[in-house]
Amino acid sequence: MKLKKAGLILSMALAAGTILGACGKDGGKDVEGAFKVGMVTDSGTIDDKSFNQGTWEGIKAGAKDLSFNEKKDTKYLKPSGSTEADYLKEIGNLHDAGFKFIVTPGFKFETAIFKAQDKYKDDKFVIIDGTPHSGDFKPVVKDNTVSIFFAEHEAGYLAGIATAVQLKTGDVGFIGGMEIPAVQKFNWGFQQGVKYANENLGTSISLKAQNVIYQGSFDNVAAGQQIAAQMYDRGVKAIFTAAGGVGIGAITESKARAKAGKEAWVIGVDVDQYSEGIYEGNKSTILTSAMKDVSKAASDMMKAEKDGKFPGGQTLIFDAKNDGIGLPKENPNLSKETLTKVEEVFGKIKSGEIVVASEKGDLIK
């Protein structure tokens, strides 16, 4: 009887160990200090190769680095529309489901986060590329919110350097979406980068006023293609697009021309858009991309919260100094010489030897 009883106890202990082990494997039990991280997408999709995708990938990477249960502790919701009410509804849904660390990508969330940070005072909010305000554009960042911006002018500058050094001569252009600060800074930085290359790196690139255009939206794909076609017809060799769907139209035009054997490059934006420009095999019309590390912004804020260092009430700038902006580490369309030059200039921006202006000054538009 004693042997049977001992065997029964041992079996029960082994079973309990198996159950606990299974909990560890499927994440049934969180690591100490784990919390639920939610995201509300903007009007795009989670695989938009832009802000939604970058933010979500950052959240997933943050969860992995912190040993959170990705399936249980991370979640995104896509609103039915793109109004303040639509965004607030999904923020409320996340809150009700226990996701009280909420990340939102883009300026469209500004008024929604302004209201949410007061309505859900125990929640934490991260707004990327935007700042809470009531509609008057006067920033109000409460202690439970952090606002993150990027030095787009520095990213644009590096793209200008890369484009000029790689192409050496010829005309380039810029297509922007809405004429808002983030888009303008990309443009102004690009112009400064081209100018620096012309003056210091032996290039001869021209950027004419007629080839700097703001389309006025982020979703008019057809208009983007038409504007790009007109620029290419004027002899432009490469177009920097900071225009969302409008930029996708430009990429579509570039691929059609590349298939016909013509030179028609595009400089991508926000994320590495190389795959968007593939037209044959692994050949792409994306020369490079001026990137904002949205993923890093999301994962860094998760780590800060986990460490008890959430920078609530602050507005942070992700720039060259903290590796918040840059070009893709790998791009088959840039030579080793070009990448070396870009790296040298990047180092000078980091050290402060080169200061990129974030205002128009005497630049085009």
Side-chain angles (χ1 to χ4, degrees), residues 30-50:
D30 276 318
V31 296
E32 185 178 351
F35 50 90
K36 293 181 180 294
V37 183
M39 170 190 167
V40 181
T41 69
D42 66 13
S43 53
T45 61
I46 202 67
D47 57 354
D48 62 358
K49 296 183 174 64
S50 188

Side-chain angles (χ1 to χ4, degrees), residues 158-175:
L158 293 174
I161 296 291
T163 301
V165 173
Q166 187 65 35
L167 299 183
K168 303 283 192 296
T169 63
D171 286 4
V172 296
F174 173 83
I175 299 175

Side-chain angles (χ1 to χ4, degrees), residues 101-105 124-128 145-146 148 297 301 310:
F101 187 96
I102 298 173
V103 187
T104 56
K124 299 288 178 65
F125 296 97
V126 178
I127 178 167
I128 299 176
T145 299
V146 61
I148 295 176
M301 291 306 99
F310 182 75

